[in-house]
Every structure is written in structure tokens, then in C-alpha cells.
Amino acid sequence: MKLVEMTVEDFSKEVDSNSPAPGGGSVSALASNIGVSLARMMANLSFGKKKYESLDESIRLEFIDRFNKLGDIRQELILLVDKDTESFEEYMKAIRMPKDTDEEMQVRKTAIKCAQAFSIEVPFKTASVSMEALELLSYIAKYGNQNAITDIGVGTLLIYSGIEGAILNVKVNLLGLDDEEMINNYTIKCNDLINRASDIKDEIIGNIHSKLEPIKA
């Protein structure tokens, strides 16, 4: 049974077990997915409202474009929930391969290398796709239904958590590599992603907190 087909309670129980998967990678993808859903909820609550409909047409078209892109990203992220656990299982399968002969050892070594690459590619994809979503949020937060401003705030925090969580998984899997160039490339990309994500998250959350400050007499 796919993780995404489980009930919330069953998924929670599966994580709360002695099995190492699903773990932080799958949960990071799910966090980002729910965060994107909250952002789209704000947009859904905007359509048809007088304030939204009174906006300039160019703004509404951009708003809808971002809303649609977030929908595509949400679908990508839901697939990555299971893909991350699949990557871990592939690695464990490679580790358990026989190594009694030179030929078996070589086959096992190749399989482990491929599985390691897969276990890095998947969380990096989660981080990258989540970053694309985060970059779309400011516009939605600015022009969307302000009654749902805290919802997109929570969505922002969840997407950011998904990004940083996925990057942690990339970095821990890089520790098993002996390819220095690959390690350096991923490390640079991950650090750039987390820095940009942090800036966007801080800006959005800061703006939301400002709007929620009580008006002083």
C-alpha cells in the first residue's frame, strides 16, 4: 500500500515505529505538500470575492498562473512522499546483496552506488520543487483573501520545513559518497537553496506578523 493512500492516523503510526522508513525524507515531502495545499486554499478562498475581482486583470491572471503552478507542484510532492521511501528500500536491498565472490562484490558495489545516487536525487528534488513553491507564495499572500493570511503563513512554514528537512537528508546521504566533485556540487546547491528559502520565509512570515499586530489607539 502506498504511503499517500494511508489514513493520516495510519501514516502517523507507520512513522512512529521501529522501521527507518518512512522517515524524514517522506515526511519532508508531505510537509511541503500540505504547505502548498494551504497556500492554494487561500487562493481558492479568494476567487469570486469582491476584493479579488476588483483587482487589475493582469494581477488576477498572474495570481491564477501561480495558483495553477502550485497545483502542479503539489502533485509532484505527493509522488515524492513514496519515492523517498522507495529510495531507502533500494539502498537496503543493495546492501543485502550477496558478496561471496569477486563478481558478486562488484555487482553489489555498483548497485550500492546507484542506490546512493538515487537516495540523494530524491530529497534534492523535494527541496528544489518545494523551493519553486515557496517562490510563488508572496504574490498569493499579498493579493489573496486576508482572512486566510495565517493559513498561508502555516503553509510557508511547512514548505520551509520540507526544504530544510529534505536538504538534511541530502547531506546525510552525501556522507556515504567518495565522489568529491558530486559532494561539493550538491553541498553548494543545498546551501544556496536553504539560504534563499530562509530569506523568503522570513519575509513572508514577517509581513504576516506585521498584519496581525494589534492597532494601537
Side-chain angles (χ1 to χ4, degrees):
M1 184 179 188
K2 291 183 178 181
L3 296 172
V4 296
E5 294 174 353
M6 291 180 173
T7 64
V8 174
E9 182 179 4
D10 286 343
F11 184 91
S12 177
K13 286 180 179 178
E14 189 68 21
V15 175
D16 179 23
S17 70
N18 61 0
S19 172
S26 290
V27 172
S28 293
L30 181 60
S32 287
N33 171 273
I34 296 173
V36 170
S37 298
L38 278 170
R40 279 172 53 85
M41 184 185 83
M42 184 193 201
N44 275 311
L45 292 171
S46 305
F47 300 134
K49 299 295 189 296
K50 288 183 179 180
K51 190 169 184 179
Y52 172 81
E53 297 301 334
S54 67
L55 293 170
D56 186 83
E57 183 181 8
S58 62
I59 294 175
R60 284 185 280 120
L61 288 173
E62 177 68 18
F63 191 92
I64 292 170
D65 182 60
R66 291 182 181 232
F67 171 77
N68 290 334
K69 286 178 179 176
L70 285 170
D72 293 337
I73 291 171
R74 192 184 73 82
Q75 291 300 322
E76 283 191 78
L77 287 165
I78 205 69
L79 295 175
L80 287 164
V81 173
D82 277 291
K83 187 69 70 175
D84 194 273
T85 293
E86 179 188 330
S87 71
F88 177 80
E89 291 171 347
E90 286 298 312
Y91 177 74
M92 294 307 298
K93 189 186 298 182
I95 290 291
R96 298 187 189 106
M97 291 178 71
K99 49 182 178 179
D100 298 324
T101 67
D102 289 343
E103 183 179 356
E104 286 178 344
M105 288 176 66
Q106 186 58 47
V107 172
R108 178 176 178 272
K109 183 179 180 181
T110 300
I112 290 174
K113 188 174 182 180
C114 291
Q116 284 177 322
F118 188 37
S119 69
I120 291 167
E121 289 168 6
V122 174
F124 186 75
K125 178 69 172 178
T126 296
S128 301
V129 170
S130 299
M131 184 66 203
E132 290 177 24
L134 195 61
E135 290 175 329
L136 296 169
L137 259 56
S138 294
Y139 203 87
I140 302 293
K142 180 178 180 180
Y143 293 109
N145 189 329
Q146 296 304 295
N147 290 325
I149 194 69
T150 56
D151 295 300
I152 199 169
V154 174
T156 299
L157 294 171
L158 284 170
I159 294 170
Y160 177 79
S161 293
I163 293 170
E164 187 158 14
I167 286 174
L168 289 175
N169 277 269
V170 172
K171 289 186 172 183
V172 74
N173 290 324
L174 287 175
L175 296 176
L177 292 184
D178 54 11
D179 186 333
E180 190 172 337
E181 182 179 356
M182 187 176 180
I183 293 170
N184 289 337
N185 285 338
Y186 269 111
T187 299
I188 290 170
K189 290 177 181 177
C190 284
N191 290 339
D192 176 62
L193 268 177
I194 198 65
N195 288 333
R196 288 192 291 129
S198 181
D199 288 342
I200 294 173
K201 179 260 296 179
D202 288 346
E203 180 182 359
I204 294 174
I205 298 300
N207 288 338
I208 292 173
H209 276 297
S210 295
K211 291 179 180 180
L212 295 175
E213 289 292 329
I215 300 173
K216 296 179 180 180

